[in-house]
Amino acid sequence: MSYIRTGDDQGPAEYRSVATSLCVVEEVRSKETFENFDDFYEYANAYSIFNRDDLNLWYNRKKCYTIKMTYNAAFRKRLIRKKLADEVGLNRNKRWSILRLSDEQFSLVLEKGDVDESLIID
C-alpha cells in the first residue's frame, strides 16, 4: 500500500496527487467492533494524529473505520497520479486512498519511487 495525497485543489489531480510512502495495512476495524466511543478512543488514540474531539466526530459518522498501518519507507521520488495510472497500471476509476497492489505493481512502485533496495526483503 502506498500513501497517496488525493489532491490539493491547486490543479488537476493527474499532476498534483502524489504517492509519498510505502505502508502495510495491519488491521482494519469498523466502529461496530467497539463497545462505545471510549473503547474506540482507547484503541485509536495511541497512534492517531487526531485529538479526542476529532476522533469523536469520526466515530459519530455513519461509517467509521480505523486502519492500523505500519509505515515502511518514504519514496525518494514522489509519484504523481498520471504516472501511477499510465506506468504502474492503477485503475483511475477506483478511489486511491488505500490500495492493494499486485506483486508487479508493488515492484514498479518501488522502482519508480526510487525506494532504497536495502529496505526490501524478498
Side-chain angles (χ1 to χ4, degrees):
M1 193 224 76
S2 300
Y3 174 76
I4 299 175
R5 182 184 74 201
T6 57
D8 62 3
D9 298 323
Q10 305 265 327
E14 283 287 289
Y15 302 96
R16 303 286 303 167
S17 179
V18 296
T20 60
S21 55
L22 184 67
C23 303
V24 173
V25 173
E26 302 291 342
E27 182 178 26
V28 177
R29 291 182 63 181
S30 68
K31 79 175 187 179
E32 289 77 26
T33 65
F34 300 99
E35 283 191 39
N36 52 41
F37 171 73
D38 289 332
D39 189 30
F40 168 79
Y41 180 76
E42 183 177 326
Y43 175 84
N45 184 51
Y47 305 101
S48 179
I49 61 169
F50 300 108
N51 65 32
R52 186 179 181 90
D53 290 338
D54 290 335
L55 288 171
N56 193 36
L57 288 172
W58 283 105
Y59 182 80
N60 285 309
R61 288 180 156 194
K62 186 176 182 178
K63 292 184 180 181
C64 173
Y65 295 90
T66 59
I67 303 169
K68 188 183 284 186
M69 297 185 294
T70 301
Y71 175 88
N72 295 100
F75 297 155
R76 291 182 189 154
K77 295 180 182 174
R78 307 263 167 131
L79 302 175
I80 62 171
R81 180 181 172 87
K82 180 170 179 33
K83 181 175 275 218
L84 289 165
D86 293 347
E87 298 178 23
V88 176
L90 300 188
N91 185 338
R92 281 188 171 86
N93 296 321
K94 288 188 175 180
R95 181 172 170 81
W96 286 18
S97 52
I98 295 180
L99 301 173
R100 181 180 303 265
L101 303 176
S102 69
D103 289 344
E104 182 180 352
Q105 290 171 326
F106 178 73
S107 294
L108 284 168
V109 166
L110 294 177
E111 175 189 320
K112 294 181 183 305
D114 194 23
V115 173
D116 183 349
E117 290 183 26
S118 69
L119 299 174
I120 306 304
I121 299 171
D122 288 329

